[in-house]
Amino acid sequence: MHNFAFAETFLSSDLKFHTQELLISSGGTARELYEAMHVEEMEASLVAGLWFKNDKYLFCWVEPNGEYFCSLYLDFTGKGRLSSFEKDRDYGRGDPIEYITQKPVTGEGKLYPMKWGMDMVVEGALAEFLKKKLYRAPYDKKKKMIRGEQIACSKTQCLVRVKFSKVDPGDGAILLD
């Protein structure tokens, strides 16, 4: 088994993949990510009490009831890239037919905080789902893995690498309470 992430500290989170969206639904983990993002917090104009932060690849929000969530979005190229807010303002929520006909894949992942963002490692059904989304990414025969630009999958697990566009002006570390 490959060990993609090298940080010793990790956050465990419930995850859900549906079409192109990966939802981080464990409130404590989503809150840590929300607070670690060094971008402006904004209030949603259409939903009173909904606050959000939007980085290049990570979108996090806190609902009026105090629940935190974060989402990442895969692009539609099949090359193992995340959709960037800078280029795709609605993140391309996914194929409507796939959304209707396929159920979400749920599981748990490990999120490894780094100075520049995070690595997320998933296994099982979540890894299988991601591998299917990498249909145009190159296969590295030597390392026996599919290697996309931000997503790589071995036989048993996948890594999603998320870089923040802005880091703490100090040392840039995500501080876990």
Side-chain angles (χ1 to χ4, degrees), residues 152-166:
C153 295
S154 69
K155 186 175 183 178
T156 60
Q157 64 183 200
C158 291
L159 164 78
V160 179
R161 178 155 285 166
V162 182
K163 291 184 179 179
F164 292 157
S165 60
K166 296 180 182 178

Side-chain angles (χ1 to χ4, degrees), residues 96-127:
I97 302 299
E98 185 179 345
Y99 184 86
I100 293 168
T101 61
Q102 295 181 8
K103 292 183 179 182
V105 178
T106 59
E108 191 172 292
K110 293 180 180 176
L111 286 65
Y112 294 86
M114 307 287 187
K115 290 182 177 185
W116 44 262
M118 72 171 171
D119 279 347
M120 179 186 312
V121 177
V122 298
E123 297 178 341
L126 294 174

Side-chain angles (χ1 to χ4, degrees), residues 10-146:
F10 68 89
L11 302 167
S12 183
S13 181
D14 293 331
L15 301 173
K16 179 171 80 170
F17 279 110
H18 200 197
T19 64
Q20 303 302 114
E21 180 185 23
L22 180 145
L23 177 68
I24 300 166
S25 57
S26 294
T29 299
R31 182 179 183 148
E32 292 284 355
L33 290 172
Y34 187 90
E35 292 175 359
M37 294 169 68
H38 294 283
V39 293
E40 183 181 351
E41 179 182 54
M42 299 174 67
E43 186 172 15
S45 60
L46 298 176
V47 181
L50 179 76
W51 290 85
F52 68 92
K53 288 185 176 182
N54 198 14
D55 200 84
K56 184 174 183 178
Y57 299 112
L58 185 64
F59 177 73
C60 294
W61 68 97
V62 56
E63 296 191 352
N65 65 4
E67 289 186 73
Y68 286 80
F69 298 92
C70 293
S71 285
L72 303 167
Y73 298 90
L74 306 177
D75 77 355
F76 286 99
T77 64
K79 294 182 178 181
R81 286 193 295 233
L82 296 174
S83 188
S84 165
F85 180 71
E86 295 168 355
K87 295 179 181 176
D88 184 3
R89 292 292 185 193
D90 67 356
Y91 289 112
R93 289 283 181 130
D95 177 11
I97 302 299
E98 185 179 345
Y99 184 86
I100 293 168
T101 61
Q102 295 181 8
K103 292 183 179 182
V105 178
T106 59
E108 191 172 292
K110 293 180 180 176
L111 286 65
Y112 294 86
M114 307 287 187
K115 290 182 177 185
W116 44 262
M118 72 171 171
D119 279 347
M120 179 186 312
V121 177
V122 298
E123 297 178 341
L126 294 174
E128 287 298 318
F129 178 88
L130 268 179
K131 276 193 254 185
K132 289 178 185 175
K133 294 290 184 176
L134 299 179
Y135 57 90
R136 291 186 60 215
Y139 184 77
D140 184 334
K141 291 179 185 178
K142 190 174 186 179
K143 294 188 178 182
K144 296 182 180 178
M145 63 187 332
I146 300 169

